[in-house]
């Protein structure tokens, strides 16, 4: 599920005496000590609530004293919640907060600009370095996710992106468009599966329907990620119900 692991990002302008850490990751002592060793850490930022991004936050705060800020107040430690459109100046860089819900309700991306440099977009789990992300329960939303892809396309055209999983991306724009096309193709496949099952999207709520759709649309997925496929199908059915 995390591809080659969860990426922590350290931001610092040349000559800055402090740094910003994005996504401390899991509660892994060696990793957190390595992050603290890049300090002084001025601030810790979180892209979304999942434990592979947040579980190490309290311990990193213990090591560094740095406030931890996230969109979800439950994952803030000594810091205030992030606000969509907010600009943060820290460690000599500018960080613009962009709400990108969909993967989770609290997902945010960061547009980072260093002195004299082109912006780089940190996409968290909203856009990955390879493959596609999952719309997670209980708070994921396909409608929100499609809107977030639109927002990322606007800020990411021609710009480098650094996801939380997988390799960096040279140009976020084409990747976002491929993500959107993939989602819409999957929606068509789900509609087709419902038609074959004789189930109307407006009433497709039962677990048995979700599993039947997964069997048809995600037949080739590794059993290890079937749970993620179920979450995506549930999100797609919710989307279709909301559209009548």
């Amino acid at each position: 599920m995390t591809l080659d692991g969860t990426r922590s990002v350290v931001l610092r302008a040349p000559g800055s005496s402090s740094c910003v850490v994005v996504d401390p990751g899991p509660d892994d002592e060696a990793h957190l000590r390595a992050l603290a060793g890049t300090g002084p850490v001025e601030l810790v930022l979180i892209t979304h609530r999942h434990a592979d991004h947040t579980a190490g936050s309290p311990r990193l705060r213990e090591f560094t004293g740095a406030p931890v800020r996230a969109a979800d107040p439950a994952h803030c430690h000594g810091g205030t919640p992030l606000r969509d459109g907010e600009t943060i100046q820290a460690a000599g860089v500018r960080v613009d907060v962009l709400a990108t819900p969909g993967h989770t309700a609290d997902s945010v991306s960061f547009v980072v600009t260093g002195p004299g440099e082109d912006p780089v977009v940190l996409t968290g789990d909203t856009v990955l370095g390879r493959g596609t992300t999952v719309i997670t329960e209980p708070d994921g939303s396909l409608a929100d996710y499609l809107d977030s892809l639109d927002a990322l396309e606007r800020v990411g055209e021609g710009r480098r992106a650094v996801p939380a999983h997988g390799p960096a991306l040279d140009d976020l724009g084409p990747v976002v468009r491929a993500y959107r096309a993939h989602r819409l193709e999957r929606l068509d496949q789900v509609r087709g599966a419902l038609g074959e099952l004789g189930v109307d999207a407006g009433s497709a709520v039962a677990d048995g329907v979700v599993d039947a759709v997964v069997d048809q649309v995600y037949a080739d997925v590794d059993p290890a990620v079937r749970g993620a496929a179920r979450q995506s199908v549930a999100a797609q059915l919710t989307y279709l119900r909301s559209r009548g």
Side-chain angles (χ1 to χ4, degrees):
M1 288 296 291
T2 63
L3 301 179
D4 48 358
T6 302
R7 174 180 285 110
S8 298
V9 177
V10 178
L11 305 174
R12 185 197 330 258
S16 174
S17 61
S18 63
C19 68
V20 175
V21 172
V22 180
D23 285 345
D27 190 8
D28 181 287
E29 188 82 0
H31 179 65
L32 297 172
R33 287 191 179 277
L35 288 175
T38 66
V41 178
E42 178 180 346
L43 177 65
V44 178
L45 299 175
I46 301 296
T47 60
H48 67 290
R49 63 176 172 79
H50 284 151
D52 62 306
H53 297 253
T54 61
S57 299
R59 187 66 168 150
L60 185 60
R61 175 163 167 75
E62 288 181 17
F63 287 154
T64 66
V68 180
R69 300 190 61 195
D72 183 347
H75 294 288
C76 294
H77 305 281
T80 57
L82 296 169
R83 304 184 309 276
D84 182 33
E86 176 182 4
T87 296
I88 299 167
Q89 298 282 353
V93 300
R94 169 178 171 149
V95 180
D96 292 304
V97 180
L98 178 66
T100 49
H103 172 66
T104 62
D106 68 322
S107 289
V108 297
S109 297
F110 300 115
V111 182
V112 180
T113 310
E117 297 179 349
D118 292 332
V120 174
V121 186
L122 308 185
T123 58
D125 283 10
T126 302
V127 172
L128 306 180
R130 64 177 184 272
T132 57
T133 196
V134 64
I135 310 300
T136 61
E137 294 181 325
D139 60 341
S141 163
L142 182 55
D144 287 347
Y145 188 75
L146 292 172
D147 289 342
S148 293
L149 290 180
D150 292 343
L152 285 173
E153 185 175 14
R154 287 192 292 271
V155 302
E157 191 67 45
R159 290 177 174 170
R160 186 173 172 83
V162 179
H165 307 280
L169 304 167
D170 290 334
D171 186 347
L172 182 56
V175 178
V176 167
R177 288 189 285 278
Y179 262 54
R180 185 186 297 112
H182 171 77
R183 288 292 170 185
L184 296 178
E185 180 183 12
R186 285 297 197 197
L187 273 175
D188 284 342
Q189 292 171 346
V190 169
R191 289 189 189 97
L194 290 174
E196 291 184 25
L197 293 166
V199 177
D200 182 81
S203 59
V205 294
D207 283 348
V209 172
V210 173
D211 284 325
V213 172
V214 170
D215 288 342
Q216 289 200 40
V217 176
Y218 292 89
D220 57 344
V221 302
D222 189 313
V225 295
R226 183 179 172 89
R230 290 190 85 261
Q231 290 186 62
S232 286
V233 166
Q236 289 159 340
L237 294 177
T238 298
Y239 179 85
L240 291 173
R241 285 198 302 274
S242 72
R243 298 302 187 271

